[in-house]
């Protein structure tokens, strides 16, 4: 199990075995992201990836129920790699329940409906997609590489293939377009209709384009009450069919959870209480990325 550089995975994959089938992110342009800036993207040699799975199978075998395929947009892998990785994972881990990875909208739409169905049937059942915003102006500013409509198409293709989607929004990333960002993101969550919806909070990481924009006075993270209002608007207006909602990521000021839209009212009440200072927020010093 050899890993190159820092590894990232969603909080809900904390108990997954991580296999690094790609190094870095094939896009690597999002202005706020520094996760893979120190890596130049490449597809890892398939024999190495399969050897890692073999070694993990010998070490952990039946204890592994989840596999997360890294790095930043592993769905970009060609089908030949995916077929081999999914077959090997199934053979190495007899109790495997799901395989997941991060994906960009483009990674999904570049695959055919038949290929996505094949991946699902071979075990790739969950995709983590982070449009961050449903506001096209914001999506252009942050160089996300796809607009809201393209994210909706990608989500529909993935769902039609039987995959579960986890959609990630980023509070504060729109700067002065806070309200537009929140409303459009609620619409996007409705239209993407994920099984999981998570909100994270932007952090301006030194060395990123976003940090340069802030230094030149062209970007500022909204104050905390405005970040909470963004969250409130998203929760209040989003209407997925039935999504597990979480703000438990370390970057957030207010960890919350529930199902949307079922638990919308109690969650909105909790956010209101936080805005009014009746609920203690996570101290700045312990917030992380
Ligand atoms: S697609 Fe994801 S990993 Fe790649 S640059 Fe954007 S946020 Fe970072």
């Amino acid at each position: 199990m050899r890993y190159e550089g820092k590894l990232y995975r969603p909080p809900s994959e904390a108990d997954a075995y991580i296999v690094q089938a790609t190094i870095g992110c094939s896009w690597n342009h999002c202005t706020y992201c520094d996760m893979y800036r120190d890596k130049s993207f490449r597809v890892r040699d398939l024999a190495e990836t399969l050897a890692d799975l073999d070694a993990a199978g010998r070490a952990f075998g039946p204890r592994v129920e989840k596999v997360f395929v890294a790095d930043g947009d592993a769905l970009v892998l060609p089908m030949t790699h995916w077929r081999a990785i999914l077959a090997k994972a199934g053979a190495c881990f007899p109790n495997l329940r799901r395989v997941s990875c991060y994906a960009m909208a483009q990674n999904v739409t570049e695959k055919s409906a038949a290929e996505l169905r094949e991946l699902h049937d071979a075990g790739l059942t969950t995709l983590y997609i982070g449009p961050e915003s449903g506001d096209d102006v914001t999506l252009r500013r942050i160089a996300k590489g796809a607009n809201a409509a393209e994210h909706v198409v990608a989500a529909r293709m993935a769902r039609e293939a039987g995959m579960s989607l986890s959609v990630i929004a980023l509070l504060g990333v729109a700067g002065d377009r806070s309200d537009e960002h929140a409303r459009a993101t609620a619409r996007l969550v409705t239209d993407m209709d994920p099984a999981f919806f998570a909100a994270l909070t932007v952090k301006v990481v030194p060395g990123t384009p976003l940090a340069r924009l802030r230094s030149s006075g062209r970007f500022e993270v909204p104050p905390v009450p405005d970040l909470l209002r963004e969250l409130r608007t998203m929760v209040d207006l989003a209407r997925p069919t039935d999504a597990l909602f979480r703000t438990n990521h370390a970057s957030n000021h207010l960890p919350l959870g529930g199902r949307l839209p079922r638990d919308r009212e109690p969650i909105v009440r909790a956010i209101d209480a936080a805005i009014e200072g009746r609920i203690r927020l996570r101290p700045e010093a312990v917030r992380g990325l």
Side-chain angles (χ1 to χ4, degrees):
M1 287 149 284
R2 298 150 290 186
Y3 294 117
E4 192 173 316
K6 281 185 280 181
L7 284 180
Y8 296 89
R9 47 103 189 115
S12 46
E13 300 296 335
D15 54 348
Y17 166 68
I18 301 178
V19 61
Q20 198 174 24
T22 63
I23 307 296
C25 166
S26 74
W27 177 247
N28 223 6
H29 288 308
C30 301
T31 59
Y32 53 88
C33 175
D34 87 323
M35 293 200 295
Y36 307 107
R37 280 188 190 272
D38 57 341
K39 297 178 179 176
S40 75
F41 176 77
R42 71 173 203 278
V43 171
R44 196 161 164 228
D45 181 70
L46 180 59
E48 276 182 30
T49 304
L50 299 180
D52 276 7
L53 284 165
D54 268 329
R58 286 192 297 275
F60 312 121
R63 281 186 282 147
V64 172
E65 296 184 9
K66 291 153 77 175
V67 168
F68 180 76
V69 182
D71 276 333
D73 65 335
L75 190 65
V76 77
L77 281 168
M79 288 298 289
T80 45
H81 284 232
W82 271 116
R83 286 187 189 109
I85 290 166
L86 292 169
K88 178 66 81 178
C92 291
F93 308 119
N95 294 320
L96 187 63
R97 289 189 288 112
R98 80 174 191 213
V99 179
S100 63
C101 68
Y102 286 129
M104 298 184 67
Q106 302 90 300
N107 306 148
V108 180
T109 55
E110 282 165 3
K111 294 219 162 15
S112 70
E115 287 173 336
L116 292 170
R117 170 58 69 178
E118 182 187 342
L119 291 175
H120 168 269
D121 293 351
L124 179 63
T125 54
T126 305
L127 299 182
Y128 293 87
I129 301 186
E132 325 298 6
S133 177
D135 176 36
D136 280 342
V137 174
T138 300
L139 285 165
R140 270 196 307 279
R141 285 183 180 173
I142 66 175
K144 192 70 238 185
N147 62 23
E150 287 161 339
H151 279 93
V152 174
V153 170
R156 194 186 62 234
M157 288 177 69
R159 282 191 282 101
E160 285 176 358
M163 294 174 177
S164 289
L165 282 182
S166 181
V167 166
I168 303 148
L170 197 53
L171 305 176
V173 77
D176 59 1
R177 288 183 66 82
S178 184
D179 189 52
E180 293 92 336
H181 163 55
R183 289 175 183 279
T185 304
R187 278 196 299 280
L188 183 64
V189 170
T190 303
D191 293 343
M192 290 183 76
D193 198 14
F196 307 92
F197 168 40
L200 279 59
T201 301
V202 72
K203 278 206 134 188
V204 181
V205 183
T208 58
L210 197 63
R212 289 194 284 281
L213 286 170
R214 187 171 71 174
S215 305
S216 63
R218 288 181 288 160
F219 176 81
E220 199 47 74
V221 178
V224 174
D226 288 351
L227 297 175
L228 294 172
R229 281 185 201 100
E230 286 183 14
L231 182 63
R232 186 193 195 285
T233 299
M234 291 179 196
V235 170
D236 192 29
L237 300 184
R239 293 290 186 279
T241 304
D242 178 28
L244 186 62
F245 167 73
R246 291 270 180 268
T247 58
N248 59 346
H249 189 266
S251 63
N252 287 317
H253 295 88
L254 182 63
L256 294 169
R259 300 204 77 89
L260 290 178
R262 187 192 70 186
D263 302 326
R264 177 168 57 99
E265 288 184 16
I267 296 171
V268 165
R269 277 201 299 275
I271 299 169
D272 284 340
I275 292 171
E276 292 159 14
R278 290 183 283 116
I279 291 184
R280 201 159 162 265
L281 301 178
R282 191 180 263 157
E284 200 59 35
V286 302
R287 285 202 312 121
L289 274 178

